[in-house]
Amino acid sequence: MPRYEYRCRTCGDTFELSRPMAESAAPAACPAGHDDTVKLLSTVAVGGSASAPSPASQAGGGGGGGGCCGGGCCG
């Protein structure tokens, strides 16, 4: 279930709620009981690693090309 971040305009508290996507736009009361809240935009961080291309792929050696059709049928 996705988590959404909200800020209370009354007390300034920031809080998160887990709720279905269908309810993402529904009003949310802050933990202190205030109803004047706004949903914040969240950023998503995706971790991983990338490796450098091999010298053969950089020099165009093997594995296709590019262009309009992937390099297989164009001359």
Side-chain angles (χ1 to χ4, degrees):
M1 190 170 320
R3 295 182 63 84
Y4 298 97
E5 192 173 19
Y6 298 86
R7 180 178 300 132
C8 177
R9 292 180 181 172
T10 305
C11 65
D13 241 2
T14 300
F15 60 97
E16 292 182 351
L17 289 177
S18 293
R19 51 174 36 176
M21 289 177 73
E23 296 177 17
S24 67
C30 89
H34 306 120
D35 290 326
D36 189 13
T37 60
V38 62
K39 187 170 98 172
L40 302 176
L41 293 176
S42 299
T43 58
V44 176
V46 178
S49 63
S51 61
S54 69
S57 66
Q58 288 179 337
C68 65
C69 60
C73 62
C74 297

